[in-house]
Amino acid sequence: MNTESTESTEDIEDTDVVVIGGGAVGENVAARAVRGGLRTVLVERERLGGECSYWACIPSKALLRPGNALAAARRVRGVRSEGGLDEQAVFRRRDAFVSHWDDGGQVRWAEDAGITVVRGTARLSGEREVTVEGRGVVRAAHAVVVCTGSTPVVPQIPGIADVPVWTSREATSASTVPQSLAVLGGGVVGVEMAQAWARLGARVELLELGDRLLSHLPGFAGEAVAEGLRADGVRVRLGTAVSRVAVAGGGVRIESDDGSRIAVERLLVATGRKPATTGLGLETVGLTPGGRLSVDDTGLVSGVDGRWLYAAGDVTGRAPVTHQGKYAARVVGDVVAARARGEDVRPEPWSGYAATADHRAATQVVFTDPEVASVGLPEPGQESHRAVDLDVAVAGAALHADGYEGRARLVVDTEREIVLGATFVGQDVAELLHAATVAIVGEVPLRRLWHAVPAFPTISEVWLRLLEEYGL
Amino acid sequence: MNTESTESTEDIEDTDVVVIGGGAVGENVAARAVRGGLRTVLVERERLGGECSYWACIPSKALLRPGNALAAARRVRGVRSEGGLDEQAVFRRRDAFVSHWDDGGQVRWAEDAGITVVRGTARLSGEREVTVEGRGVVRAAHAVVVCTGSTPVVPQIPGIADVPVWTSREATSASTVPQSLAVLGGGVVGVEMAQAWARLGARVELLELGDRLLSHLPGFAGEAVAEGLRADGVRVRLGTAVSRVAVAGGGVRIESDDGSRIAVERLLVATGRKPATTGLGLETVGLTPGGRLSVDDTGLVSGVDGRWLYAAGDVTGRAPVTHQGKYAARVVGDVVAARARGEDVRPEPWSGYAATADHRAATQVVFTDPEVASVGLPEPGQESHRAVDLDVAVAGAALHADGYEGRARLVVDTEREIVLGATFVGQDVAELLHAATVAIVGEVPLRRLWHAVPAFPTISEVWLRLLEEYGL
């Protein structure tokens, strides 16, 4: 660890770029800025690598993958699979993937990349100026980039302040299987953690206010995941509002407005996240804390004079998933470096200086069983759009798993005959997504896609069926 | 079964199109021709559905998938997988996938599609004329399409005519595990069957004349598959020429030119296939039997007057895999229908009337463990080409399987900055291929592909690393 990253009360040396927040997004901004020749300070108050590395993508997939691999094997006749999951081994594997919550490896990576890592809580204290608590002020010659991510939203439910709840952090890092778990919220975190813990042995109940799971995706996705959860013994309750929670025995009592009461050992609140913009000193540069930081496609924050304040990732409220945040981060890092060189940056759509995919081809995978993979538009948005829907009923899928059930949707612009969106649901569809992303980003006409011949017998053959269904 | 498909000595009614050979390729030609409004007779001497359905793609993947699913589960710590494979259950599952070698279902499909199915051995007997043995002559108003596929090549090895050998047919349809199996040839059939039977319990030895397996693919593919085979106990012997085989005991004795001798229960000859053009009456239309039927991108056979003789699939010697054959079949069916309507068919590259992908973006997957998936150019072909090689070392891969090992190559045209070829090797890479195929077929520039953001943490994230490695 070099001197910049040890505790000290001295001022930090002035620099070219200061990045506030050292999650995956901040790391990528910093790495690209350094690559562009800029001195870059990355300030992190907790662990370098952030939410994704320690309490989200990585540990959640680590908890899910053993169950998915086992289920996949069990769906193939001829495989003897008497065993189940060894929970303690699953936890140990998860612990290894999060480096036992030690960010030493990431600090080494950052320092090797030429990034100056500063530990501490940072806030803006004026134009191009950041104050790090207990460390003093650092000035940025070119840019300050806010990558503080998001924090869980805890809903206003009577009694909730008085009960111990799990957020995504506890749900991904726990090493004891609760006997019973109530999950509040049927979004990505809710469904993934409901399934992970159910498969590890917890009795799980999922409570969702709305009438479906994964409400931001086509209905068939939430339905398939609900069915998958039920197959694992999860009680899925839709349209259920919680009216009160209270401590009861060693756990939590949950009352719903339909009059039902349940008592569980743990309550996971997974009702969404909000941009982390409080305590950041935004008011010192004329912005209002609490909301999202509105940015253009270069990552420049709106409403601030002088083109020096940027943001990327969840804090911008754009596509709030790690990989899209990292993508925006690469753009911001490149833009800042280009402008520092005096280049006239023109953020043309799909150029290297515009995070165009955030609103045209944002991708997401839900790693439940069945998986859900989506990109771009989930539903037709205009009259010239058409949804092409099909079961994933190809030989490759049947061979992959007995009784394979899957569903695919393309959203097509019927005037330009290009793909605008795609959603796949089914076992092991995650890797099918990138083909759709390339088709959307490349604006490849359907008649050209006709020549992209899926290998037989893969699950990707569903592409051929989708194009035939469209009419080719 | 309708009257056309029962045995009879009556002439068959004249028609618009006669397709010789009712494998997957012939079926697709016929279906597209019918869709185009043409009366179509499909003649098959054996089983409708052909090699792929009964003795190749389907049963081979059915034999491999249980072992792959089991191995995948075993590579995830936390999964208890004490069991192994239940061979009899694997065979029963395979038998179900090949419909117990009964083509009734395919005949019903064809008839429902409006195709007239004729059982018998067909040969050309003049222009637009086909003679079906024992059934008489059928005349085609528009076209005859040859889709007779290919047959195994048995090499000239002293003694081989006197020993009972397995070809791919026996290797995919056997229901007893031989104690020992020698596999001659390290191509796709050889490596797939070596692994399938090794995992089912046979002691397997693979003998390859050349210095690597899968010689049509980049070297790292064959090396990885060889390592996978060795991990399953297969003895892989490269650079080994067999000098003599003979019956010995209940099996076969194999002598190599290095002086070694082995005795095995079964010998699988998997040394390639040749186009099935003998006994077809090609000489009646001025062609020479024995070689491949040379065709243009519409499927029209070269060297025959009058634009009526077409071919698709293995018999043409183009991209000899089922899905490319079916692709060429769709083109031929559409071309024949368009010409029958009097259209001036212009086979512009990538139009619906040209099987352009056969030479620009042919795809192939080897369903071993590790899998190999390839499309387009395997190696840089010109000075303006560059191979971008990387280990598949992304979080998604590590989470997918402990100790994940994989390799990826893009072949890039550095002038146009587009992808010309891609090869992926590793567990479960089959579904990664289609993204590369879309990129190649769509000629999507690398700078645009930069906006195709792989979801985190999937294995597809290797795309990001490949583009970074290229220099983006």
Side-chain angles (χ1 to χ4, degrees):
Chain A
M1 214 175 268
N2 68 20
T3 51
E4 281 81 17
S5 59
T6 56
E7 292 302 319
S8 147
T9 53
E10 296 154 53
D11 272 24
I12 306 153
E13 212 171 296
D14 287 345
T15 188
D16 293 322
V17 179
V18 177
V19 180
I20 304 178
V25 174
E27 287 178 330
N28 271 269
V29 170
R32 298 294 287 198
V34 167
R35 206 180 87 148
L38 300 179
R39 296 168 302 162
T40 304
V41 169
L42 177 61
V43 192
E44 168 58 40
R45 65 177 179 184
E46 205 169 4
R47 282 176 185 77
L48 214 63
E51 214 64 26
C52 167
S53 302
Y54 303 106
W55 301 288
C57 330
I58 295 288
S60 63
K61 176 132 194 215
L63 290 175
L64 285 163
R65 173 65 187 150
N68 286 4
L70 178 63
R74 284 182 168 164
R75 288 192 191 111
V76 181
R77 271 169 298 152
V79 178
R80 290 196 184 94
S81 49
E82 293 87 3
L85 295 181
D86 173 345
E87 307 88 56
Q88 292 307 315
V90 171
F91 296 140
R92 283 194 301 272
R93 183 174 191 262
R94 186 267 325 267
D95 294 352
F97 273 106
V98 298
S99 308
H100 303 272
W101 291 277
D102 179 328
D103 68 353
Q106 302 238 9
V107 171
R108 280 188 295 279
W109 166 84
E111 292 179 347
D112 287 350
I115 300 164
T116 301
V117 176
V118 172
R119 291 191 184 270
T121 301
R123 61 180 168 78
L124 291 162
S125 47
E127 188 178 320
R128 291 184 167 80
E129 188 187 289
V130 172
T131 298
V132 182
E133 213 174 292
R135 293 294 301 275
V137 166
V138 54
R139 281 175 197 81
H142 294 293
V144 175
V145 189
V146 180
C147 305
T148 48
S150 57
T151 53
V153 172
V154 177
Q156 303 288 326
I157 295 171
I160 200 145
D162 305 320
V163 301
V165 297
W166 272 7
T167 65
S168 51
R169 286 202 165 193
E170 293 75 21
T172 53
S173 60
S175 292
T176 310
V177 181
Q179 207 173 50
S180 56
L181 171 71
V183 177
L184 205 56
V188 177
V189 173
V191 298
E192 286 191 349
M193 289 300 97
Q195 190 166 45
W197 288 103
R199 286 181 163 184
L200 287 165
R203 181 168 50 77
V204 177
E205 182 144 349
L206 175 61
L207 304 151
E208 164 58 42
L209 188 60
D211 61 356
R212 69 193 216 200
L213 303 181
L214 301 172
S215 58
H216 60 302
L217 294 170
F220 64 84
E223 284 164 25
V225 169
E227 204 171 308
L229 291 175
R230 288 190 192 104
D232 287 322
V234 176
R235 189 173 170 212
V236 178
R237 291 171 61 194
L238 301 174
T240 301
V242 173
S243 50
R244 171 175 297 277
V245 295
V247 171
V252 181
R253 192 182 64 232
I254 299 168
E255 300 177 20
S256 301
D257 60 3
D258 60 6
S260 68
R261 289 182 178 200
I262 57 168
V264 292
E265 188 180 333
R266 296 284 179 193
L267 168 62
L268 163 60
V269 176
T271 46
R273 301 179 70 84
K274 60 173 186 235
T277 53
T278 54
L280 253 183
L282 290 181
E283 61 287 352
T284 70
V285 298
L287 296 171
T288 308
R292 70 192 187 92
L293 281 181
S294 179
V295 296
D296 68 14
D297 276 3
T298 68
L300 193 68
V301 175
S302 313
V304 177
D305 291 339
R307 222 156 63 176
W308 61 272
L309 186 64
Y310 294 80
D314 283 13
V315 76
T316 67
R318 282 163 72 107
V321 285
T322 290
H323 44 275
Q324 294 295 142
K326 286 162 62 183
Y327 160 74
R330 294 189 291 271
V331 170
V332 169
D334 289 355
V335 163
V336 167
R339 285 187 171 145
R341 284 192 302 269
E343 271 182 42
D344 177 23
V345 167
R346 303 168 78 90
E348 304 291 338
W350 303 119
S351 74
Y353 295 141
T356 313
D358 272 0
H359 31 91
R360 296 277 288 279
T363 53
Q364 181 168 44
V365 171
V366 186
F367 290 98
T368 43
D369 177 18
E371 288 176 337
V372 180
S374 70
V375 54
L377 276 192
E379 307 281 357
Q382 296 172 23
E383 217 172 273
S384 63
H385 295 176
R386 179 181 153 200
V388 181
D389 287 341
L390 267 189
D391 285 337
V392 179
V394 294
L399 286 157
H400 192 70
D402 294 327
Y404 191 94
E405 287 187 21
R407 188 89 182 149
R409 162 176 297 179
L410 292 186
V411 175
V412 175
D413 178 331
T414 53
E415 276 171 19
R416 299 184 59 202
E417 291 205 315
I418 58 172
V419 182
L420 300 176
T423 303
F424 301 94
V425 179
Q427 183 189 321
D428 295 323
V429 297
E431 307 300 344
L432 266 71
L433 188 64
H434 202 57
T437 311
V438 172
I440 292 172
V441 163
E443 297 181 312
V444 184
L446 297 185
R447 285 172 198 287
R448 184 63 83 94
L449 284 179
W450 184 241
H451 295 272
V453 182
F456 186 83
T458 62
I459 304 176
S460 296
E461 207 196 5
V462 70
W463 275 97
L464 172 59
R465 302 292 161 229
L466 286 163
L467 295 176
E468 286 177 338
E469 179 73 12
Y470 180 78
L472 293 189
Chain B
M1 215 175 267
N2 69 19
T3 51
E4 280 83 13
S5 58
T6 56
E7 293 303 320
S8 146
T9 53
E10 297 155 52
D11 272 24
I12 306 153
E13 210 171 297
D14 287 346
T15 188
D16 293 320
V17 178
V18 177
V19 180
I20 303 179
V25 174
E27 287 178 330
N28 271 268
V29 170
R32 298 293 288 199
V34 166
R35 207 181 85 149
L38 301 178
R39 296 168 302 162
T40 304
V41 169
L42 178 61
V43 192
E44 169 59 39
R45 66 178 179 183
E46 206 170 1
R47 282 176 185 77
L48 214 63
E51 214 65 23
C52 168
S53 302
Y54 303 106
W55 301 287
C57 331
I58 295 287
S60 63
K61 175 132 195 216
L63 290 175
L64 286 163
R65 173 65 188 152
N68 286 2
L70 177 63
R74 283 180 169 165
R75 287 191 192 113
V76 182
R77 271 169 299 153
V79 177
R80 290 197 183 91
S81 48
E82 292 88 3
L85 295 180
D86 173 344
E87 308 87 58
Q88 291 308 314
V90 171
F91 296 140
R92 283 194 301 273
R93 183 172 190 263
R94 186 266 327 268
D95 293 352
F97 273 106
V98 298
S99 308
H100 303 270
W101 291 276
D102 179 326
D103 68 353
Q106 302 237 12
V107 172
R108 280 188 296 280
W109 166 84
E111 293 180 348
D112 286 350
I115 299 162
T116 301
V117 177
V118 171
R119 292 191 183 270
T121 300
R123 60 179 169 78
L124 291 161
S125 47
E127 187 178 323
R128 292 186 166 81
E129 187 186 289
V130 172
T131 298
V132 183
E133 212 174 292
R135 295 292 303 274
V137 166
V138 54
R139 280 174 197 82
H142 294 293
V144 176
V145 189
V146 179
C147 306
T148 47
S150 56
T151 53
V153 172
V154 177
Q156 304 288 325
I157 296 172
I160 201 146
D162 304 320
V163 301
V165 298
W166 272 6
T167 66
S168 52
R169 286 201 167 194
E170 291 76 19
T172 53
S173 60
S175 292
T176 309
V177 181
Q179 208 172 49
S180 57
L181 171 70
V183 177
L184 204 57
V188 178
V189 173
V191 297
E192 286 190 350
M193 289 299 97
Q195 190 165 47
W197 288 103
R199 287 182 162 184
L200 287 164
R203 181 168 51 77
V204 177
E205 183 145 347
L206 175 61
L207 305 151
E208 164 58 40
L209 188 60
D211 62 356
R212 68 193 219 202
L213 304 180
L214 299 172
S215 58
H216 61 303
L217 293 170
F220 64 84
E223 284 164 25
V225 169
E227 203 172 308
L229 291 175
R230 289 190 191 106
D232 287 322
V234 176
R235 189 173 170 212
V236 178
R237 291 170 62 193
L238 301 174
T240 303
V242 172
S243 51
R244 173 175 297 278
V245 296
V247 171
V252 182
R253 192 183 63 233
I254 301 168
E255 301 176 19
S256 302
D257 59 4
D258 59 7
S260 70
R261 290 183 176 201
I262 57 168
V264 291
E265 187 179 334
R266 296 284 180 193
L267 168 62
L268 163 60
V269 176
T271 47
R273 302 178 69 83
K274 60 174 186 228
T277 54
T278 53
L280 253 182
L282 289 180
E283 61 286 355
T284 69
V285 297
L287 297 171
T288 309
R292 69 191 188 92
L293 281 181
S294 179
V295 296
D296 67 13
D297 277 2
T298 67
L300 194 68
V301 175
S302 312
V304 177
D305 291 338
R307 221 157 63 178
W308 61 274
L309 185 63
Y310 295 81
D314 282 12
V315 77
T316 66
R318 284 166 69 107
V321 284
T322 291
H323 44 276
Q324 294 296 143
K326 286 163 62 183
Y327 160 73
R330 294 189 291 270
V331 169
V332 169
D334 288 356
V335 163
V336 168
R339 286 186 170 144
R341 283 192 303 270
E343 271 181 41
D344 177 22
V345 168
R346 304 168 79 88
E348 303 294 339
W350 302 120
S351 73
Y353 296 141
T356 313
D358 272 1
H359 32 90
R360 295 277 289 277
T363 54
Q364 182 169 43
V365 172
V366 186
F367 289 99
T368 43
D369 176 19
E371 288 177 334
V372 180
S374 70
V375 54
L377 276 193
E379 308 281 358
Q382 296 172 24
E383 219 172 273
S384 64
H385 295 176
R386 177 180 155 200
V388 182
D389 286 342
L390 267 190
D391 285 336
V392 180
V394 293
L399 286 157
H400 193 70
D402 295 326
Y404 191 94
E405 286 185 24
R407 188 89 182 149
R409 162 176 295 180
L410 292 186
V411 175
V412 174
D413 179 331
T414 52
E415 276 171 20
R416 299 184 60 201
E417 291 206 313
I418 57 171
V419 183
L420 300 176
T423 303
F424 302 94
V425 179
Q427 181 189 320
D428 294 325
V429 298
E431 307 299 345
L432 264 71
L433 188 64
H434 202 57
T437 312
V438 171
I440 293 171
V441 163
E443 298 180 311
V444 184
L446 296 186
R447 285 170 200 287
R448 184 64 82 92
L449 284 179
W450 184 241
H451 295 272
V453 182
F456 186 84
T458 62
I459 304 176
S460 295
E461 207 195 4
V462 71
W463 274 96
L464 172 59
R465 303 290 161 230
L466 286 163
L467 295 176
E468 285 176 338
E469 180 74 11
Y470 180 78
L472 294 189

